[in-house]
Amino acid sequence: MKKTERMVFYYDLSISAESRTFAAPKPISVRRAFELMDMVPLEQRIKQYSKGREELYVSGWKKDGDVISILINKSDKGISDPVFTIPKEKKRRTAQKQEKEGQDFSVHLIVKLSEDSLQPALVLIEYCTGLGIFVVQKLFNQILADAKKLSPSDFEQTHPDGSVDENGKPKKYNVVFKSEFEGHVSDDLKSDIDNGKIQSIELTT
C-alpha cells in the first residue's frame, strides 16, 4: 500500500435506547444523535483512558448537508519513542517525547445520514491500529452521555401507559442512547464464502 493510500472499512450506524425503568424505550435517529452530540463543546470532547496514559479527542467535526466529517485523534504517552535509522551508516536517532506529550495518530470518519430517520447511517472509517471502530463507539457514547448532562430533557420519554405524577403531569422515564456499528461484508469475503474458498478462520482479540 502506498503512503497516500488508506484501507477503509464500511459500517452501518444506528442508535439504541436503554432505560432502567422501562423495557422498551424508543430509539432516536442517527441525525438526532449527532445533533445532541453537537451540543457538547469541542474542547470537552477529550476523554482519558488507561489511567490518563491515553487520551482520545475530536480535532475536527464538520457537517455539510447529510454528510458529517470527523477527525478523531489518540494521544498515547505509553508508546515507545520513535526511532529513526540509517543501517548502512550505522546511524540511529530517537525522537524523545517530553514529559506531558503522547504519540499522536488519527482516523478520518465520514458519516452519510439517511433521509429516512428509521434507517441507519453509512459510515466510512480508515484503518488505524489501536483506533478502530470500537474505540470510536466508546467515544461517541461518552459524548452522548455528556450531552445528557447538558440537556436532560432530551433524554426523557413520556411513559406510554398515560400515568401522571403527583402534579398531574405525564410520567417520564430516563433514557440512555448508545451508538451501534455493524460492519459490511467485503465483496472478496462474500465471494470466498459463497465459493467455499475459506478453509479456516482465526479470531484474535
Side-chain angles (χ1 to χ4, degrees):
M1 184 177 294
K2 299 178 181 179
K3 291 182 179 180
T4 56
E5 294 179 340
R6 298 290 185 270
M7 182 182 296
V8 176
F9 294 114
Y10 293 73
Y11 294 88
D12 286 331
L13 168 61
S14 58
I15 306 298
S16 64
E18 300 176 1
S19 176
R20 294 182 178 179
T21 57
F22 186 63
K26 182 180 179 181
I28 58 175
S29 67
V30 178
R31 186 185 301 274
R32 181 56 183 155
F34 274 97
E35 289 173 352
L36 293 173
M37 287 191 282
D38 206 30
M39 294 190 303
V40 180
L42 201 61
E43 59 271 16
Q44 292 184 21
R45 302 177 201 178
I46 303 174
K47 305 299 175 184
Q48 291 189 344
Y49 302 94
S50 303
K51 298 180 179 180
R53 181 175 62 84
E54 300 176 353
E55 286 186 307
L56 277 180
Y57 63 100
V58 179
S59 56
W61 185 290
K62 180 181 178 182
K63 187 174 185 295
D64 184 7
D66 289 337
V67 177
I68 303 173
S69 305
I70 303 171
L71 180 60
I72 298 175
N73 292 63
K74 181 178 180 180
S75 178
D76 193 338
K77 298 176 183 177
I79 292 182
S80 300
D81 294 334
V83 177
F84 304 94
T85 62
I86 307 177
K88 291 183 179 180
E89 299 180 14
K90 295 183 179 181
K91 290 184 177 180
R92 181 183 179 91
R93 176 175 65 86
T94 300
Q96 188 171 1
K97 298 188 296 293
Q98 296 182 11
E99 183 179 357
K100 295 182 180 181
E101 290 180 331
Q103 188 165 328
D104 199 277
F105 46 102
S106 62
V107 292
H108 288 89
L109 191 79
I110 303 295
V111 181
K112 176 64 170 67
L113 300 173
S114 173
E115 294 182 1
D116 185 347
S117 62
L118 299 178
Q119 295 299 314
L122 176 64
V123 174
L124 281 68
I125 180 173
E126 61 181 325
Y127 172 76
C128 179
T129 302
L131 195 47
I133 197 64
F134 292 111
V135 177
V136 173
Q137 181 180 34
K138 187 174 183 179
L139 177 62
F140 278 4
N141 290 343
Q142 289 186 314
I143 296 175
L144 279 169
D146 288 341
K148 184 175 183 178
K149 297 174 184 177
L150 295 174
S151 184
S153 61
D154 284 310
F155 294 79
E156 294 178 348
Q157 294 181 359
T158 303
H159 204 287
D161 65 2
S163 57
V164 297
D165 60 21
E166 57 185 12
N167 296 317
K169 296 182 179 180
K171 278 189 176 180
K172 294 187 176 183
Y173 57 90
N174 291 319
V175 183
V176 174
F177 299 121
K178 292 185 177 181
S179 60
E180 294 186 350
F181 292 87
E182 183 175 343
H184 286 206
V185 177
S186 70
D187 292 338
D188 289 341
L189 177 58
K190 186 177 185 301
S191 176
D192 289 345
I193 293 175
D194 292 343
N195 294 287
K197 294 182 179 180
I198 295 180
Q199 297 180 352
S200 65
I201 296 178
E202 181 178 351
L203 301 178
T204 59
T205 59

